[in-house]
Amino acid sequence: MPENGFTIEVNDREASEALAALLRRMEERRGFYQNVAELLASSSRENFRKQTAPSGTPWAKLKAATIRERTRKGQLPLTILNTNGVKDGIHLQAAISQDADNDAARVGVLDQDPVRHYAAIHQFGGTIPIPARKGRIYRHYDPTTGVTGRKFVSPKSDGARATEVDIAGYMVTMPARPYLGVSAEDEMEIMLLAEDWIGL
């Protein structure tokens, strides 16, 4: 070694161990994707609470007829995509599920869930054809005059008389009310999760 020179000794054990740990975490990514799935599922449930799309756009409001019908049935409080106050109502929020593997995070409604038929139409909107069918209406019949009234009555009311009727088919248009998706805030949080996962 020269008289006025110097020596640099590099000990890269810690750096090598850190790099090896980083590579292992990049190979075993399921934990990261599980964190992402939990974040997105939580955000989807929050969209139900706020009644907005992931973008923050408010959902289309319920029609007046829907509000009247739900109020009449005691389905309160009124929320857009859940029918409250009934045991067997539509509870789409509760059907949100999550899953993850080494390559992806998945959030949605399971195929076997009873509300899966409602999930897509509410997410994307669309038109539902309601076929023509037979129905039955009840009006009051007065046996003394032989006259059937024009107003509808309950089937259990005194003097109720049933009449078979044809009900024409019609179309129901459902507005899109997206509840699944990735918001700008979610994107930022996913970046933080990624940085935390690889130890940056």
Side-chain angles (χ1 to χ4, degrees), residues 27-114:
E27 289 173 0
E28 300 167 7
R29 301 177 297 274
R30 187 178 186 282
F32 165 69
Y33 284 120
Q34 184 63 46
N35 292 339
V36 173
E38 289 173 5
L39 167 71
L40 295 179
S42 176
S43 292
S44 294
R45 294 184 187 103
E46 182 67 8
N47 291 336
F48 280 89
R49 189 190 69 77
K50 297 187 298 186
Q51 300 192 64
T52 62
S55 65
T57 304
W59 288 340
K61 299 207 176 293
L62 294 172
K63 290 186 176 180
T66 302
I67 293 172
R68 284 194 303 271
E69 183 67 8
R70 288 196 187 175
T71 302
R72 184 184 68 79
K73 291 181 176 179
Q75 296 174 351
L76 303 170
L78 283 172
T79 52
I80 293 178
L81 293 187
N82 290 318
T83 50
N84 299 311
V86 286
K87 184 178 179 181
D88 58 349
I90 301 167
H91 301 286
L92 193 51
Q93 178 181 353
I96 299 297
S97 64
Q98 65 196 53
D99 188 27
D101 57 26
N102 208 44
D103 298 308
R106 288 175 290 280
V107 176
V109 177
L110 297 175
D111 285 343
Q112 63 268 29
D113 196 289

Coordinates of all heavy atoms in Angstrom, one line a residue, residues 27-114:
E27 N -41.5 -11.5 -4.0 CA -42.0 -12.8 -4.5 C -43.2 -13.2 -3.8 O -44.0 -13.9 -4.3 CB -40.8 -13.8 -4.3 CG -39.7 -13.6 -5.3 CD -38.5 -14.5 -5.0 OE1 -38.6 -15.3 -4.0 OE2 -37.5 -14.4 -5.7
E28 N -43.3 -12.9 -2.5 CA -44.5 -13.4 -1.7 C -45.4 -12.1 -1.4 O -45.3 -11.5 -0.4 CB -44.0 -14.0 -0.4 CG -43.1 -15.2 -0.6 CD -42.3 -15.6 0.6 OE1 -42.6 -15.0 1.7 OE2 -41.4 -16.5 0.5
R29 N -46.2 -11.8 -2.4 CA -47.0 -10.6 -2.4 C -48.4 -10.7 -1.8 O -49.1 -9.7 -1.8 CB -47.1 -10.0 -3.8 CG -45.7 -9.8 -4.5 CD -45.9 -9.3 -5.9 NE -46.5 -10.3 -6.8 CZ -45.9 -11.3 -7.4 NH1 -44.6 -11.5 -7.2 NH2 -46.5 -12.2 -8.1
R30 N -48.8 -11.9 -1.4 CA -50.2 -12.1 -1.0 C -50.5 -11.2 0.1 O -51.6 -10.6 0.2 CB -50.4 -13.5 -0.6 CG -51.9 -13.8 -0.3 CD -52.1 -15.3 0.1 NE -53.5 -15.6 0.2 CZ -54.2 -15.3 1.3 NH1 -53.7 -14.6 2.3 NH2 -55.5 -15.5 1.3
G31 N -49.6 -11.0 1.1 CA -49.9 -10.1 2.2 C -50.2 -8.7 1.8 O -51.1 -8.0 2.3
F32 N -49.4 -8.2 0.8 CA -49.7 -6.8 0.2 C -51.1 -6.8 -0.4 O -51.8 -5.8 -0.1 CB -48.6 -6.5 -0.8 CG -49.0 -5.3 -1.6 CD1 -49.0 -4.0 -1.1 CD2 -49.3 -5.5 -3.0 CE1 -49.4 -2.9 -1.9 CE2 -49.6 -4.4 -3.8 CZ -49.7 -3.1 -3.2
Y33 N -51.4 -7.7 -1.3 CA -52.7 -7.7 -1.9 C -53.8 -7.9 -1.0 O -54.9 -7.4 -1.2 CB -52.7 -8.8 -3.1 CG -51.9 -8.3 -4.3 CD1 -50.9 -9.1 -4.8 CD2 -52.3 -7.2 -5.0 CE1 -50.2 -8.7 -5.9 CE2 -51.6 -6.8 -6.1 CZ -50.5 -7.5 -6.5 OH -49.8 -7.1 -7.7
Q34 N -53.6 -8.6 0.1 CA -54.6 -8.7 1.1 C -54.9 -7.4 1.8 O -56.1 -7.0 2.0 CB -54.2 -9.7 2.2 CG -55.3 -10.0 3.3 CD -56.5 -10.6 2.7 OE1 -56.4 -11.6 1.9 NE2 -57.7 -10.1 3.0
N35 N -53.8 -6.6 2.0 CA -54.0 -5.3 2.6 C -54.8 -4.4 1.6 O -55.6 -3.6 2.0 CB -52.6 -4.6 2.9 CG -51.9 -5.3 4.0 OD1 -52.5 -6.0 4.8 ND2 -50.6 -5.1 4.1
V36 N -54.5 -4.5 0.3 CA -55.2 -3.7 -0.7 C -56.7 -4.1 -0.8 O -57.6 -3.3 -0.8 CB -54.5 -3.9 -2.1 CG1 -55.4 -3.2 -3.2 CG2 -53.1 -3.3 -2.1
A37 N -57.0 -5.4 -0.7 CA -58.3 -5.9 -0.7 C -59.1 -5.4 0.5 O -60.3 -4.9 0.3 CB -58.4 -7.4 -0.8
E38 N -58.5 -5.4 1.6 CA -59.2 -4.8 2.8 C -59.4 -3.4 2.7 O -60.5 -2.9 3.1 CB -58.3 -5.1 4.1 CG -58.2 -6.6 4.5 CD -57.2 -6.8 5.6 OE1 -56.6 -5.8 6.1 OE2 -57.0 -8.0 5.9
L39 N -58.5 -2.6 2.1 CA -58.7 -1.2 1.9 C -59.9 -0.9 1.0 O -60.8 -0.1 1.3 CB -57.4 -0.6 1.3 CG -57.6 0.8 0.8 CD1 -57.8 1.9 1.9 CD2 -56.3 1.2 -0.1
L40 N -59.9 -1.6 -0.2 CA -61.0 -1.4 -1.2 C -62.3 -1.8 -0.7 O -63.3 -1.2 -1.0 CB -60.6 -2.1 -2.5 CG -59.3 -1.5 -3.2 CD1 -59.0 -2.3 -4.4 CD2 -59.4 0.0 -3.4
A41 N -62.4 -3.0 0.1 CA -63.6 -3.4 0.7 C -64.2 -2.4 1.6 O -65.4 -2.0 1.7 CB -63.5 -4.8 1.3
S42 N -63.3 -1.8 2.5 CA -63.7 -0.8 3.4 C -64.2 0.4 2.7 O -65.2 1.1 3.1 CB -62.5 -0.5 4.3 OG -62.8 0.6 5.2
S43 N -63.5 0.8 1.6 CA -63.9 2.0 0.9 C -65.3 1.8 0.2 O -66.1 2.7 0.2 CB -62.9 2.3 -0.2 OG -61.7 2.8 0.4
S44 N -65.5 0.6 -0.3 CA -66.8 0.3 -0.9 C -67.9 0.4 0.2 O -69.0 0.9 -0.1 CB -66.8 -1.2 -1.5 OG -65.9 -1.2 -2.5
R45 N -67.7 -0.1 1.4 CA -68.7 0.0 2.4 C -68.9 1.5 2.8 O -70.0 1.9 3.1 CB -68.3 -0.8 3.6 CG -68.3 -2.3 3.3 CD -67.9 -3.1 4.6 NE -67.8 -4.5 4.2 CZ -66.6 -5.1 4.1 NH1 -65.5 -4.5 4.3 NH2 -66.5 -6.4 3.7
E46 N -67.8 2.3 2.7 CA -68.0 3.7 3.0 C -68.8 4.4 1.9 O -69.5 5.3 2.2 CB -66.6 4.3 3.1 CG -66.6 5.8 3.5 CD -67.1 6.1 4.9 OE1 -67.3 5.2 5.7 OE2 -67.2 7.3 5.2
N47 N -68.7 3.9 0.7 CA -69.5 4.5 -0.4 C -71.0 4.3 -0.1 O -71.8 5.2 -0.4 CB -69.2 3.8 -1.7 CG -67.8 4.2 -2.2 OD1 -67.2 5.2 -1.8 ND2 -67.2 3.3 -3.0
F48 N -71.4 3.2 0.5 CA -72.8 3.0 0.9 C -73.2 4.0 2.0 O -74.3 4.5 2.0 CB -73.0 1.5 1.4 CG -73.1 0.5 0.4 CD1 -72.0 -0.1 -0.1 CD2 -74.3 0.2 -0.2 CE1 -72.1 -1.0 -1.2 CE2 -74.5 -0.7 -1.2 CZ -73.3 -1.4 -1.7
R49 N -72.3 4.2 3.0 CA -72.6 5.2 4.0 C -72.8 6.6 3.5 O -73.7 7.3 3.8 CB -71.5 5.2 5.1 CG -71.9 5.9 6.3 CD -70.7 6.1 7.3 NE -69.7 7.0 6.7 CZ -69.8 8.3 6.7 NH1 -70.9 8.9 7.1 NH2 -68.8 9.1 6.2
K50 N -71.9 7.0 2.5 CA -72.0 8.3 2.0 C -72.9 8.4 0.8 O -73.3 9.5 0.4 CB -70.6 8.7 1.5 CG -69.5 8.9 2.6 CD -68.2 9.4 2.1 CE -67.6 8.6 1.1 NZ -66.2 9.0 0.7
Q51 N -73.3 7.2 0.2 CA -74.2 7.1 -0.9 C -73.6 7.9 -2.1 O -74.3 8.7 -2.7 CB -75.6 7.6 -0.6 CG -76.2 6.7 0.6 CD -77.7 6.9 0.8 OE1 -78.5 6.6 -0.1 NE2 -78.1 7.5 1.9
T52 N -72.3 7.5 -2.4 CA -71.6 8.1 -3.5 C -70.8 7.1 -4.2 O -70.5 6.0 -3.7 CB -70.7 9.2 -3.0 OG1 -69.7 8.6 -2.2 CG2 -71.4 10.3 -2.3
A53 N -70.5 7.4 -5.5 CA -69.6 6.6 -6.3 C -68.2 6.7 -5.7 O -67.9 7.7 -5.0 CB -69.6 7.0 -7.7
P54 N -67.2 5.8 -6.1 CA -65.8 6.0 -5.6 C -65.3 7.4 -6.0 O -64.4 7.9 -5.3 CB -65.1 4.9 -6.3 CG -66.1 3.8 -6.5 CD -67.4 4.6 -6.8
S55 N -65.8 8.0 -7.1 CA -65.3 9.3 -7.5 C -65.8 10.4 -6.6 O -65.3 11.5 -6.7 CB -65.8 9.6 -9.0 OG -67.2 9.6 -9.0
G56 N -66.8 10.1 -5.8 CA -67.4 11.1 -4.9 C -68.7 11.6 -5.5 O -69.4 12.4 -4.8
T57 N -69.1 11.2 -6.7 CA -70.3 11.7 -7.3 C -71.5 11.1 -6.5 O -71.6 9.8 -6.4 CB -70.4 11.2 -8.8 OG1 -69.2 11.7 -9.4 CG2 -71.7 11.8 -9.4
P58 N -72.5 11.9 -6.1 CA -73.6 11.3 -5.4 C -74.4 10.4 -6.3 O -74.6 10.6 -7.5 CB -74.5 12.5 -5.0 CG -73.5 13.7 -5.1 CD -72.5 13.3 -6.1
W59 N -75.0 9.3 -5.7 CA -75.8 8.4 -6.4 C -77.1 9.1 -6.8 O -77.6 10.0 -6.1 CB -76.2 7.2 -5.5 CG -75.1 6.2 -5.3 CD1 -73.9 6.1 -6.1 CD2 -75.0 5.3 -4.3 NE1 -73.1 5.1 -5.5 CE2 -73.8 4.6 -4.4 CE3 -75.8 4.9 -3.2 CZ2 -73.4 3.5 -3.6 CZ3 -75.4 3.9 -2.3 CH2 -74.2 3.2 -2.5
A60 N -77.7 8.6 -7.9 CA -79.1 9.1 -8.2 C -80.0 8.8 -7.1 O -80.0 7.8 -6.5 CB -79.5 8.3 -9.5
K61 N -80.9 9.8 -6.8 CA -81.8 9.7 -5.7 C -82.9 8.7 -6.0 O -83.2 8.4 -7.2 CB -82.4 11.1 -5.4 CG -81.4 12.1 -5.0 CD -81.9 13.1 -4.1 CE -80.9 14.1 -3.6 NZ -79.9 13.5 -2.7
L62 N -83.5 8.2 -5.0 CA -84.7 7.3 -5.1 C -85.9 8.0 -5.7 O -86.1 9.2 -5.4 CB -85.1 6.7 -3.8 CG -84.1 5.7 -3.1 CD1 -84.6 5.4 -1.7 CD2 -83.9 4.5 -3.9
K63 N -86.6 7.3 -6.5 CA -87.9 7.9 -7.1 C -88.9 8.1 -6.0 O -88.9 7.4 -5.0 CB -88.4 7.1 -8.2 CG -87.6 7.1 -9.5 CD -88.2 6.3 -10.6 CE -87.4 6.4 -11.9 NZ -88.1 5.7 -13.0
A64 N -89.8 9.1 -6.2 CA -90.8 9.4 -5.2 C -91.6 8.1 -4.9 O -92.0 7.9 -3.7 CB -91.7 10.5 -5.6
A65 N -92.0 7.4 -5.9 CA -92.8 6.2 -5.7 C -92.1 5.1 -4.8 O -92.7 4.5 -4.0 CB -93.2 5.6 -7.0
T66 N -90.8 5.0 -5.0 CA -90.0 4.1 -4.2 C -89.9 4.5 -2.8 O -90.1 3.7 -1.8 CB -88.5 4.0 -4.8 OG1 -88.6 3.5 -6.1 CG2 -87.7 3.0 -4.0
I67 N -89.8 5.8 -2.6 CA -89.7 6.4 -1.2 C -91.1 6.1 -0.5 O -91.1 5.7 0.7 CB -89.4 7.9 -1.2 CG1 -88.0 8.1 -1.7 CG2 -89.6 8.5 0.1 CD1 -87.6 9.5 -1.9
R68 N -92.2 6.4 -1.2 CA -93.5 6.2 -0.6 C -93.7 4.7 -0.2 O -94.2 4.4 0.8 CB -94.6 6.6 -1.6 CG -94.8 8.1 -1.7 CD -96.1 8.4 -2.4 NE -96.2 7.9 -3.7 CZ -95.7 8.5 -4.8 NH1 -95.2 9.6 -4.7 NH2 -95.9 7.9 -6.0
E69 N -93.3 3.8 -1.1 CA -93.5 2.3 -0.9 C -92.7 1.9 0.3 O -93.1 1.1 1.1 CB -93.2 1.6 -2.2 CG -93.4 0.1 -2.1 CD -94.8 -0.3 -2.0 OE1 -95.7 0.6 -2.1 OE2 -95.1 -1.5 -1.7
R70 N -91.4 2.3 0.3 CA -90.6 1.8 1.4 C -91.0 2.4 2.7 O -91.0 1.7 3.8 CB -89.1 2.2 1.1 CG -88.4 1.4 0.0 CD -86.9 1.6 0.1 NE -86.3 1.0 -1.0 CZ -85.0 1.1 -1.2 NH1 -84.2 1.8 -0.3 NH2 -84.4 0.5 -2.2
T71 N -91.5 3.7 2.7 CA -92.0 4.3 3.9 C -93.2 3.5 4.4 O -93.4 3.2 5.6 CB -92.3 5.8 3.7 OG1 -91.1 6.4 3.3 CG2 -92.8 6.4 5.0
R72 N -94.1 3.2 3.5 CA -95.3 2.5 3.8 C -95.0 1.1 4.4 O -95.7 0.7 5.4 CB -96.2 2.3 2.5 CG -97.5 1.6 2.8 CD -98.3 1.3 1.5 NE -97.6 0.3 0.6 CZ -97.7 -1.0 0.8 NH1 -98.4 -1.5 1.8 NH2 -97.1 -1.8 0.0
K73 N -94.0 0.5 3.9 CA -93.6 -0.8 4.4 C -92.7 -0.8 5.7 O -92.3 -1.8 6.2 CB -92.8 -1.6 3.4 CG -93.7 -2.0 2.2 CD -92.9 -2.8 1.2 CE -93.8 -3.3 0.0 NZ -93.0 -4.1 -1.0
G74 N -92.4 0.4 6.1 CA -91.5 0.6 7.3 C -90.1 0.3 7.1 O -89.3 -0.1 8.0
Q75 N -89.6 0.4 5.8 CA -88.2 0.1 5.5 C -87.4 1.3 5.7 O -86.9 2.0 4.8 CB -88.1 -0.4 4.0 CG -88.9 -1.7 3.8 CD -88.9 -2.1 2.3 OE1 -88.5 -1.4 1.5 NE2 -89.4 -3.3 2.1
L76 N -87.2 1.6 7.0 CA -86.5 2.8 7.4 C -85.3 2.5 8.2 O -85.3 1.4 8.9 CB -87.5 3.7 8.2 CG -88.8 4.1 7.4 CD1 -89.7 4.8 8.4 CD2 -88.5 5.0 6.2
P77 N -84.2 3.3 8.3 CA -84.1 4.6 7.5 C -84.0 4.3 6.0 O -83.5 3.3 5.6 CB -82.9 5.2 8.1 CG -82.1 4.1 8.6 CD -83.0 3.1 9.0
L78 N -84.4 5.3 5.2 CA -84.3 5.2 3.8 C -82.8 5.3 3.3 O -82.2 6.3 3.6 CB -85.1 6.3 3.1 CG -86.6 6.1 3.1 CD1 -87.3 7.4 2.5 CD2 -87.0 4.9 2.2
T79 N -82.3 4.2 2.7 CA -81.0 4.2 2.1 C -81.2 3.7 0.7 O -82.1 2.9 0.4 CB -80.0 3.4 2.9 OG1 -80.6 2.1 3.1 CG2 -79.7 4.0 4.3
I80 N -80.3 4.1 -0.2 CA -80.6 3.9 -1.6 C -80.4 2.4 -2.0 O -81.3 1.8 -2.6 CB -79.7 4.8 -2.5 CG1 -80.1 6.2 -2.3 CG2 -79.7 4.4 -3.9 CD1 -79.3 7.3 -3.0
L81 N -79.3 1.8 -1.6 CA -79.1 0.4 -2.1 C -79.3 -0.7 -1.0 O -79.0 -1.8 -1.2 CB -77.7 0.2 -2.7 CG -77.4 1.0 -4.0 CD1 -76.0 0.6 -4.5 CD2 -78.5 0.8 -5.0
N82 N -80.0 -0.3 0.1 CA -80.3 -1.3 1.1 C -81.8 -1.1 1.5 O -82.2 0.0 1.7 CB -79.4 -1.2 2.3 CG -78.0 -1.6 2.1 OD1 -77.8 -2.6 1.4 ND2 -77.0 -0.9 2.6
T83 N -82.5 -2.2 1.6 CA -83.9 -2.1 2.1 C -83.8 -2.4 3.6 O -83.7 -3.6 4.0 CB -84.8 -3.0 1.4 OG1 -84.3 -4.3 1.3 CG2 -85.1 -2.6 -0.1
N84 N -83.9 -1.4 4.4 CA -83.8 -1.6 5.8 C -85.1 -2.0 6.4 O -86.2 -1.9 5.8 CB -83.3 -0.3 6.5 CG -81.9 0.1 6.0 OD1 -81.0 -0.7 6.0 ND2 -81.8 1.3 5.6
G85 N -85.1 -2.5 7.7 CA -86.3 -2.7 8.4 C -87.0 -4.1 8.0 O -88.1 -4.4 8.6
V86 N -86.4 -4.8 7.2 CA -87.0 -6.1 6.8 C -85.9 -7.2 6.8 O -84.8 -7.0 6.4 CB -87.7 -6.1 5.4 CG1 -89.0 -5.4 5.4 CG2 -86.8 -5.5 4.4
K87 N -86.2 -8.3 7.4 CA -85.2 -9.4 7.6 C -84.7 -9.9 6.3 O -83.5 -10.1 6.1 CB -85.9 -10.6 8.3 CG -84.9 -11.7 8.7 CD -85.6 -12.8 9.5 CE -84.6 -13.9 9.8 NZ -85.3 -15.0 10.6
D88 N -85.5 -10.0 5.2 CA -85.1 -10.6 4.0 C -84.9 -9.5 2.9 O -85.1 -9.8 1.7 CB -86.0 -11.7 3.5 CG -87.5 -11.2 3.3 OD1 -87.7 -10.1 3.8 OD2 -88.3 -11.9 2.8
G89 N -84.6 -8.3 3.3 CA -84.5 -7.2 2.3 C -83.1 -7.4 1.6 O -82.3 -8.3 1.8
I90 N -82.9 -6.4 0.7 CA -81.6 -6.4 -0.1 C -80.6 -5.6 0.8 O -80.8 -4.5 1.1 CB -81.8 -5.7 -1.4 CG1 -82.9 -6.4 -2.2 CG2 -80.5 -5.6 -2.2 CD1 -83.4 -5.6 -3.4
H91 N -79.5 -6.3 1.1 CA -78.5 -5.7 1.9 C -77.1 -5.9 1.1 O -76.3 -6.7 1.5 CB -78.4 -6.3 3.3 CG -79.7 -6.2 4.0 ND1 -80.1 -5.0 4.6 CD2 -80.7 -7.1 4.3 CE1 -81.3 -5.2 5.2 NE2 -81.6 -6.4 5.0
L92 N -77.0 -5.1 0.0 CA -75.9 -5.2 -0.9 C -74.6 -4.9 -0.1 O -73.6 -5.5 -0.4 CB -76.1 -4.3 -2.1 CG -75.2 -4.5 -3.3 CD1 -75.1 -5.9 -3.7 CD2 -75.7 -3.6 -4.4
Q93 N -74.6 -3.9 0.7 CA -73.4 -3.5 1.5 C -72.8 -4.7 2.2 O -71.6 -4.9 2.2 CB -73.7 -2.4 2.4 CG -72.5 -2.0 3.3 CD -72.9 -0.8 4.2 OE1 -74.0 -0.3 4.1 NE2 -71.9 -0.5 5.1
A94 N -73.7 -5.5 2.9 CA -73.2 -6.6 3.7 C -72.7 -7.8 2.8 O -72.0 -8.6 3.3 CB -74.4 -7.2 4.5
A95 N -73.0 -7.7 1.5 CA -72.5 -8.8 0.6 C -71.1 -8.5 0.0 O -70.6 -9.4 -0.7 CB -73.5 -9.0 -0.5
I96 N -70.6 -7.3 0.3 CA -69.2 -7.0 -0.2 C -68.2 -8.0 0.4 O -68.1 -8.2 1.6 CB -68.8 -5.6 0.1 CG1 -69.8 -4.6 -0.5 CG2 -67.4 -5.3 -0.3 CD1 -69.8 -4.6 -2.0
S97 N -67.5 -8.7 -0.5 CA -66.5 -9.6 0.0 C -65.1 -9.3 -0.6 O -65.0 -8.5 -1.6 CB -66.8 -11.1 -0.4 OG -66.9 -11.2 -1.8
Q98 N -64.1 -9.9 -0.1 CA -62.7 -9.6 -0.5 C -61.9 -10.9 -0.6 O -62.2 -11.8 0.2 CB -62.0 -8.6 0.4 CG -61.9 -9.1 1.8 CD -61.6 -8.1 2.8 OE1 -62.3 -7.1 2.9 NE2 -60.5 -8.2 3.6
D99 N -60.9 -10.9 -1.4 CA -60.0 -12.0 -1.6 C -58.7 -11.5 -2.1 O -58.7 -10.5 -2.8 CB -60.6 -13.1 -2.5 CG -59.9 -14.4 -2.5 OD1 -59.2 -14.7 -1.5 OD2 -59.9 -15.1 -3.5
A100 N -57.6 -12.3 -1.9 CA -56.4 -11.9 -2.5 C -55.5 -13.2 -2.7 O -55.7 -14.1 -2.0 CB -55.6 -10.9 -1.6
D101 N -54.6 -13.1 -3.6 CA -53.6 -14.1 -3.8 C -52.3 -13.4 -4.1 O -52.1 -12.2 -3.8 CB -54.0 -15.2 -4.9 CG -54.2 -14.5 -6.2 OD1 -53.7 -13.4 -6.5 OD2 -55.0 -15.1 -7.0
N102 N -51.3 -14.2 -4.6 CA -50.0 -13.6 -4.8 C -50.0 -12.6 -6.0 O -49.0 -11.9 -6.2 CB -49.0 -14.7 -5.1 CG -47.6 -14.4 -4.7 OD1 -47.4 -13.8 -3.6 ND2 -46.6 -14.7 -5.5
D103 N -51.0 -12.5 -6.8 CA -51.0 -11.7 -8.0 C -52.1 -10.6 -8.0 O -52.0 -9.8 -8.9 CB -51.2 -12.6 -9.2 CG -50.0 -13.6 -9.4 OD1 -48.9 -13.1 -9.3 OD2 -50.3 -14.8 -9.5
A104 N -53.1 -10.7 -7.2 CA -54.2 -9.7 -7.3 C -55.0 -9.6 -6.0 O -55.0 -10.5 -5.2 CB -55.1 -10.1 -8.4
A105 N -55.7 -8.4 -5.9 CA -56.7 -8.2 -4.9 C -58.0 -8.2 -5.6 O -58.2 -7.6 -6.6 CB -56.4 -6.9 -4.2
R106 N -59.0 -8.8 -5.0 CA -60.4 -8.9 -5.6 C -61.4 -8.4 -4.5 O -61.4 -8.9 -3.4 CB -60.7 -10.3 -6.0 CG -59.9 -10.7 -7.3 CD -60.2 -12.1 -7.6 NE -59.6 -13.0 -6.7 CZ -58.3 -13.4 -6.7 NH1 -57.5 -12.9 -7.6 NH2 -57.8 -14.2 -5.8
V107 N -62.3 -7.5 -5.0 CA -63.4 -7.1 -4.1 C -64.7 -7.1 -4.9 O -64.7 -6.7 -6.1 CB -63.1 -5.6 -3.6 CG1 -64.3 -5.1 -2.8 CG2 -61.8 -5.6 -2.8
G108 N -65.7 -7.6 -4.4 CA -67.0 -7.7 -5.1 C -68.0 -8.5 -4.4 O -68.0 -8.6 -3.1
V109 N -69.0 -9.0 -5.1 CA -70.0 -9.8 -4.5 C -69.9 -11.3 -5.0 O -69.7 -11.5 -6.2 CB -71.4 -9.3 -4.9 CG1 -72.5 -10.2 -4.4 CG2 -71.6 -7.9 -4.4
L110 N -69.9 -12.2 -4.1 CA -69.6 -13.6 -4.5 C -70.8 -14.1 -5.4 O -71.9 -13.7 -5.3 CB -69.5 -14.5 -3.3 CG -68.4 -14.2 -2.3 CD1 -68.5 -15.1 -1.1 CD2 -67.1 -14.4 -3.0
D111 N -70.4 -15.0 -6.4 CA -71.4 -15.6 -7.3 C -72.5 -16.3 -6.6 O -73.7 -16.3 -7.0 CB -70.7 -16.6 -8.2 CG -69.9 -15.9 -9.3 OD1 -70.1 -14.7 -9.5 OD2 -69.1 -16.5 -9.9
Q112 N -72.3 -16.9 -5.4 CA -73.3 -17.6 -4.7 C -74.1 -16.8 -3.8 O -75.1 -17.3 -3.2 CB -72.7 -18.8 -4.0 CG -71.7 -18.5 -2.8 CD -70.3 -18.4 -3.3 OE1 -70.0 -18.1 -4.5 NE2 -69.4 -18.7 -2.4
D113 N -73.8 -15.5 -3.7 CA -74.5 -14.6 -2.8 C -75.9 -14.3 -3.4 O -76.1 -14.1 -4.5 CB -73.8 -13.3 -2.6 CG -74.3 -12.5 -1.4 OD1 -75.4 -12.0 -1.5 OD2 -73.6 -12.5 -0.4
P114 N -77.0 -14.4 -2.5 CA -78.3 -14.2 -3.0 C -78.6 -12.8 -3.7 O -79.4 -12.7 -4.5 CB -79.2 -14.3 -1.8 CG -78.4 -15.0 -0.8 CD -77.0 -14.7 -1.1

